[in-house]
Amino acid sequence: MTTARELQASVWDAECRRDLEAVLSHFHPDAVFHPAGGPAKKGHDAIREMTEEFYSVYPELSIEILNEWGNGESSAVFEFRVNLKDNDGQAVTLDGVILVEIQDGKFTAVRYYEDAPVPVAAATV
């Protein structure tokens, strides 16, 4: 069985590589994704569209897990830090928390909560 941390690390690795099919393979077909500040996205098509839009704005990113609290294989909470670079080369860092629910080794529900992005002077992602 895959632990919540292994699943989260794997999906973020795929996201950083911009491998959308690998990202979607981590989600049940009818999974619900609740992005910070936006409406819920249900199913692979909606999650794909949201992710493609994110990729078009932020071509570079890296993600670090700072802390975790969990229930083994069925749910977890992760505190994270993301370093992003937009299309104009502006680098920002943001911290947040993600809550995940898992069934059969795939996400069924994901909720993101993020702090406001902080500009990074002359940083590389």
Side-chain angles (χ1 to χ4, degrees):
M1 283 255 170
T2 301
T3 66
R5 183 185 181 97
E6 290 168 338
L7 185 63
Q8 190 62 53
S10 178
V11 74
W12 275 342
D13 176 67
E15 190 170 350
C16 289
R17 290 183 286 109
R18 297 297 198 259
D19 187 341
L20 186 52
E21 294 310 313
V23 168
L24 292 173
S25 75
H26 292 80
F27 290 86
H28 273 273
D30 60 348
V32 180
F33 191 105
H34 301 268
K41 309 296 182 184
K42 184 172 183 178
H44 280 189
D45 289 343
I47 295 169
R48 175 189 303 277
E49 182 178 329
M50 175 191 66
T51 305
E52 287 173 338
E53 183 177 319
F54 175 80
Y55 288 172
S56 73
V57 176
Y58 296 105
E60 293 184 42
L61 82 147
S62 64
I63 306 169
E64 174 186 5
I65 295 174
L66 303 175
N67 282 301
E68 67 180 282
W69 303 266
N71 189 15
E73 300 161 356
S74 63
S75 63
V77 177
F78 297 97
E79 179 185 18
F80 63 90
R81 175 164 295 137
V82 177
N83 297 300
L84 300 162
K85 191 178 284 185
D86 67 17
N87 289 317
D88 295 327
Q90 179 68 34
V92 297
T93 297
L94 65 86
D95 292 342
V97 175
I98 182 173
L99 292 77
V100 297
E101 296 176 30
I102 301 163
Q103 184 178 357
D104 301 323
K106 294 188 178 200
F107 297 118
T108 57
V110 175
R111 292 181 181 271
Y112 262 87
Y113 300 94
E114 300 173 350
D115 292 338
V118 176
V120 178
T124 58
V125 178

